[in-house]
Amino acid sequence: MKEINFSSKAIIFDDFSQLLEEDRTLLEKAITARDKAYAPYSKFNVGAAILLDNKKIILGNNQENAAYPSGMCAERVAIWRAGSEYPDMIVKKIAISAASSHTVVDKPVGPCGACRQALYEYEFRQSQPIEIIFMGETGKIIKTESLSSLLPFSFDSSFL
Ligand code: THU
């Protein structure tokens, strides 16, 4: 028997000015996408922007539904949009921002578990890490180096 420890690295930025220009631009695009979210039920708008290695930026936002479980998160809208438009793409990074009309979202909002799994599919397939940069509406910004660092013991196609 042995015990192991997991560790994953995250960088916490105080504001936009500390980001790399490429990350700042991507996050600004995520905010643009966030403002077009369709979230009449939760009032929690999420935007995502994906940078591909061909320099294209693909946007997504959450799309809710009166039958609540039929809605979809911003990150999966974006990654599936990217996958359908650019099937041979390499994904470099994804930026995410969330805001609510109920409250000020002042903590970084990371992707939910299902979105981590959906994004990880692409990271595993391309054998290259996907960086994740995420924030709320205001406040600190977090950057992590890969999906696998957010998903220990993750499930992938090698099990099938
Ligand atoms: N949501 C996202 O778009 N991404 C996440 O990672 C977490 C949650 C959306 C789903 C729903 O429309 C709203 O936020 C509230 O859960």
Side-chain angles (χ1 to χ4, degrees), residues 36-46 62-65 99 101:
K36 294 183 191 158
Y38 178 62
Y41 307 107
S42 72
K43 315 274 190 212
F44 192 79
N45 286 27
V46 185
N62 50 331
Q63 297 293 316
E64 295 188 349
N65 193 284
S101 54

Side-chain angles (χ1 to χ4, degrees), residues 86-106:
Y86 299 98
D88 302 320
M89 66 186 179
I90 299 283
V91 178
K92 306 289 283 185
K93 43 184 87 173
I94 177 168
I96 303 156
S97 172
S100 165
S101 54
H102 286 316
T103 175
V104 177
V105 182
D106 58 5

